[in-house]
Amino acid sequence: MTNVLPPVRYRIRPHRPDAHLFAVDCIVADPDPAGQVFRLPAWIPGSYMIREFARNIVSLRASVGGEAVAFEKLDKHSWRVEPLAQGAVLTLSYEVYAWDLSVRAAHLDSTHGFFNGTSVFLAPDGRSNRPCLVDIQRPDGNEYRDWRVVTALPRARDAAGAAWIYGFGMYRAEDYDELIDHPVEMGRFALAQFEAGGVRHDIALTGRHDCDTERLAADLQRVCNWQIDLFGTPPPMDYYAFLTMVVGEGYGGLEHRASTALIASRNDLPWKGMQGLPDGYKSFLGLCSHEYFHTWNVKRIKPAAFTPYDLANENYTRLLWAFEGFTSYYDDLALVRSGVIALEDYLGLLGKTISNVLHTPGRMKQSVADSSFDAWIKYYRQDENSPNAIVSYYAKGALIALALDLELRAATGGRGALDDLMRLLWQRHGQTGVGVPEDGIFDAVAEVGTTYGSASLGRRLSRWLKNAVEGTDDLPLPRLLKTFGVDYRAEAAGKGPTLGIKLVAGAGAGAGAGEARIANVYEGGAAQTAGLSAGDVLVALDGLRISPGGLDASLSRHAVGDIVEIHVFRRDELMRFSVALAAQPADSISLKLVPRPGERAGRLRRGWLGG
């Protein structure tokens, strides 16, 4: 007879929405005789920074049969309960403060509740591979009687075998890893639904909005169907949820195995009667597309360093350029290939990505491989000097994916593409659970190049990719895009000279409001050469007051090389600098379709963009 180990049971209830407190119980039927240890993750997969979620636990009690038992804290996120008699059922009860309105942690008030499992579910040592049962409870009070729940966490079945959705009650997970990979939204939310790849998809919108949910569902359906077709049916989930918090200003997303948590500005959502495709809506569709692509790339095709995750410590890999960068390439590409946006819209988005990378002096100092490895201390902990010191493995990683795709298509006459690499990785790693080794992408590129071209092509492309991700040279995009009938133009962002600075965003609402405080001083620019620093508040230029909205207009009255006198406050000291104005760099990129490309270029372009 098989000895079935008991599951780990949890209860979670919005205990005091007014105080932003979740009450959580973790019940272990057979605690470790030597003293059961419990741990809370220090970070959440997809967001590579130690976040110390345990700091939000405000009270904790251990008990057996209602009687308190002793425990001790071992470190910042671990507790050990004293040894207990055989047969004792241990309950660990604690409160979690939830006031982080982001996609990474937990948030609770009288309007809604949201949590990631990494923020609220303590894991009992030695039992992470056991099934978990979670009783998600409604907050007390009649004012919450109309609250619902949406999550991709599977619903447990009652004694009659029935299953239902959107309700409070019992949910289940095969193990702790699955438990924490399904965020939960509860409250009053609008719902839109569509089917893609034979799977139901929900869009839950929390917060005030006037979203045209039919338009949003129709557009996302096309994007999701395209991505499912890319990797092949059936998709690797039987349900998917877009959990969207709608706010005045906000943007962000975090991927999970069968859902994504999103934050969006209400102005970025489509509305009834909306004409055209506003930039904000394109941005939101790109965000949804990005997180959905992660269903395959990083949630299932993942670095060997993430199999399994060590949630107590940093998990180092040099491959985030492939898992985030390649996903960033496909997010907008999926929009144009699915027909949601036009070719011109896509080229506009691609031009912005190229410009953003070129705006960053740090691209000449840090490779995307190093950026991936140092994400824990640099990319996710940026400061005023970050543009001069780091490169984004998202943005430059996307450009490397673009260049690799174009190189592969051009060299094979369109027979091979990056799509083939992604499918190979899916078959070899995503469907098997075997992590991608640190050199695995290079080996897979060599294999794809060999399959669709020759062994020498495979070796050449593999070497090219390794040099691109380990080096700091700019990519040969003008040449590659020309082969596909796309004109690459580099111009200055504006007329007139520049100081080589960026001001703090939102400092004022026009030419006469706010203070002009410097956020970043760019490497080698006029301001840095003269001695200006981040944090300085610009006061006057040649004796005339500077406001955030008026700086460019003031500079436009001067020529490159002019010497101007700038007064600033640094701390509480008024300081004066003589600045030699510099020319604006030609790093603003626009891409245009060549009207009548040659036969080969036209064929390659159609294969790449699908139009």
Side-chain angles (χ1 to χ4, degrees):
M1 181 176 179
T2 303
N3 183 22
V4 179
L5 296 173
V8 178
R9 294 177 175 267
Y10 294 89
R11 287 190 295 260
I12 183 165
R13 177 170 59 89
H15 172 49
R16 291 185 55 196
D18 57 322
H20 321 301
L21 293 174
F22 280 107
V24 187
D25 295 322
C26 178
I27 304 164
V28 181
D30 58 340
D32 187 339
Q36 183 62 58
V37 174
F38 294 84
R39 305 182 195 275
L40 194 67
W43 64 283
I44 182 169
S47 184
Y48 306 107
M49 187 175 84
I50 298 296
R51 297 191 180 274
E52 317 292 18
F53 295 123
R55 64 191 173 87
N56 291 316
I57 294 180
V58 297
S59 68
L60 190 146
R61 179 178 184 269
S63 62
V64 172
E67 297 294 323
V69 295
F71 63 90
E72 61 176 330
K73 192 167 188 179
L74 302 177
D75 56 35
K76 62 187 178 183
H77 52 217
S78 305
W79 294 259
R80 181 171 57 208
V81 178
E82 68 178 1
L84 302 172
Q86 186 174 4
V89 176
L90 172 62
T91 299
L92 197 70
S93 303
Y94 51 99
E95 289 182 313
V96 178
Y97 180 68
W99 195 237
D100 182 349
L101 189 58
S102 76
V103 297
R104 297 176 296 269
H107 189 264
L108 174 65
D109 61 16
S110 60
T111 67
H112 90 122
F114 169 83
F115 63 83
N116 285 289
T118 46
S119 300
V120 297
F121 293 133
L122 281 160
D125 268 13
R127 284 138 182 83
S128 294
N129 292 328
R130 294 190 186 184
C132 301
L133 292 174
V134 185
D135 185 6
I136 303 176
Q137 299 183 350
R138 188 191 312 273
D140 294 335
N142 289 332
E143 64 270 34
Y144 302 110
R145 64 184 181 276
D146 59 344
W147 275 29
R148 296 184 292 174
V149 171
V150 62
T151 178
L153 190 65
R155 195 66 198 253
R157 296 179 178 272
D158 63 16
W164 66 101
I165 57 174
Y166 310 133
F168 291 89
M170 198 69 71
Y171 290 77
R172 61 179 174 83
E174 292 301 315
D175 53 28
Y176 184 78
D177 183 61
E178 182 182 7
L179 172 67
I180 61 173
D181 209 8
H182 293 287
V184 173
E185 173 69 24
M186 60 179 72
R188 305 173 189 92
F189 43 79
L191 271 174
Q193 296 177 344
F194 64 88
E195 184 177 290
V199 169
R200 190 180 88 243
H201 291 61
D202 279 348
I203 308 167
L205 298 170
T206 299
R208 297 181 182 180
H209 62 85
D210 60 353
C211 179
D212 181 349
T213 55
E214 291 182 4
R215 167 72 182 275
L216 178 58
D219 287 341
L220 285 182
Q221 182 181 41
R222 295 167 74 177
V223 174
C224 294
N225 270 321
W226 183 86
Q227 293 192 19
I228 291 169
D229 288 343
L230 172 67
F231 287 100
T233 55
M237 67 290 187
D238 55 16
Y239 168 75
Y240 193 91
F242 294 90
L243 309 181
T244 309
M245 183 69 199
V246 182
V247 295
E249 294 293 336
Y251 177 89
L254 190 66
E255 69 274 4
H256 297 275
R257 67 178 65 186
S259 62
T260 178
L262 305 166
I263 286 186
S265 166
R266 61 179 57 89
N267 293 326
D268 290 347
L269 300 175
W271 61 91
K272 293 284 187 182
M274 182 181 76
Q275 300 298 312
L277 202 67
D279 287 346
Y281 184 44
K282 282 187 286 190
S283 178
F284 179 66
L285 286 175
L287 174 65
C288 293
S289 178
H290 182 100
E291 304 305 338
Y292 194 74
F293 198 84
H294 274 317
T295 306
W296 293 268
N297 195 36
V298 94
K299 294 313 300 181
R300 290 169 175 87
I301 310 168
K302 62 178 63 175
F306 292 175
T307 53
Y309 294 112
D310 175 2
L311 295 175
N313 302 288
E314 296 89 343
N315 292 194
Y316 293 103
T317 176
R318 298 175 67 81
L319 293 178
L320 293 182
W321 54 267
F323 293 96
E324 291 293 354
F326 281 25
T327 300
S328 295
Y329 172 59
Y330 273 103
D331 55 22
D332 289 336
L333 190 63
L335 301 185
V336 68
R337 286 193 183 169
S338 64
V340 172
I341 65 174
L343 296 180
E344 293 76 11
D345 290 326
Y346 174 70
L347 293 181
L349 294 170
L350 187 56
K352 288 181 180 179
T353 301
I354 299 171
S355 300
N356 289 339
V357 173
L358 294 180
H359 289 338
T360 307
R363 77 186 193 283
M364 307 305 295
K365 297 181 180 179
Q366 186 188 51
S367 70
V368 291
D370 288 341
S371 179
S372 300
F373 194 84
D374 283 340
W376 303 89
I377 60 171
K378 291 189 176 183
Y379 187 81
Y380 276 88
R381 299 174 67 179
Q382 295 192 28
D383 58 25
E384 67 283 345
N385 192 52
S386 291
N388 298 323
I390 69 173
V391 68
S392 168
Y393 53 77
Y394 285 86
K396 190 173 180 183
L399 299 186
I400 289 173
L402 165 67
L404 178 60
D405 196 8
L406 299 186
E407 288 273 20
L408 185 54
R409 289 174 181 274
T412 63
R415 295 186 302 276
L418 192 66
D419 299 350
D420 300 295
L421 174 67
M422 298 311 301
R423 284 189 284 263
L424 175 63
L425 293 172
W426 171 239
Q427 294 161 9
R428 188 160 296 166
H429 298 283
Q431 293 182 313
T432 64
V434 176
V436 180
E438 292 295 293
D439 59 355
I441 305 292
F442 308 123
D443 292 342
V445 167
E447 185 172 338
V448 170
T450 299
T451 299
Y452 294 95
S454 65
S456 61
L457 173 63
R459 290 192 297 270
R460 178 175 70 80
L461 288 176
S462 180
R463 287 194 302 269
W464 177 91
L465 179 61
K466 189 171 183 63
N467 289 336
V469 302
E470 296 285 355
T472 58
D473 291 342
D474 286 334
L475 301 165
L477 295 179
R479 171 182 63 80
L480 290 170
L481 288 165
K482 183 178 180 180
T483 304
F484 286 73
V486 176
D487 185 37
Y488 178 108
R489 297 183 183 180
E491 301 174 332
K495 297 179 180 179
T498 180
L499 291 176
I501 63 172
K502 180 180 179 181
L503 298 180
V504 173
E515 64 179 18
R517 183 180 296 274
I518 298 176
N520 307 108
V521 176
Y522 291 110
E523 180 89 10
Q528 187 188 67
T529 301
L532 290 164
S533 300
D536 290 349
V537 177
L538 303 180
V539 177
L541 187 153
D542 285 344
L544 296 176
R545 185 171 67 88
I546 298 173
S547 62
L551 178 60
D552 288 343
S554 297
L555 292 174
S556 69
R557 296 173 178 268
H558 293 273
V560 173
D562 283 357
I563 306 297
V564 299
E565 184 178 75
I566 293 181
H567 283 80
V568 307
F569 271 113
R570 181 172 298 172
R571 300 176 297 276
D572 58 350
E573 300 178 19
L574 184 65
M575 307 180 76
R576 180 176 63 84
F577 298 89
S578 293
V579 183
L581 299 179
Q584 296 199 38
D587 58 4
S588 182
I589 307 304
S590 62
L591 304 177
K592 302 292 182 184
L593 294 171
V594 174
R596 289 180 295 277
E599 189 277 331
R600 181 174 184 272
R603 176 169 47 80
L604 289 174
R605 191 169 75 188
R606 288 189 295 274
W608 170 39
L609 298 178

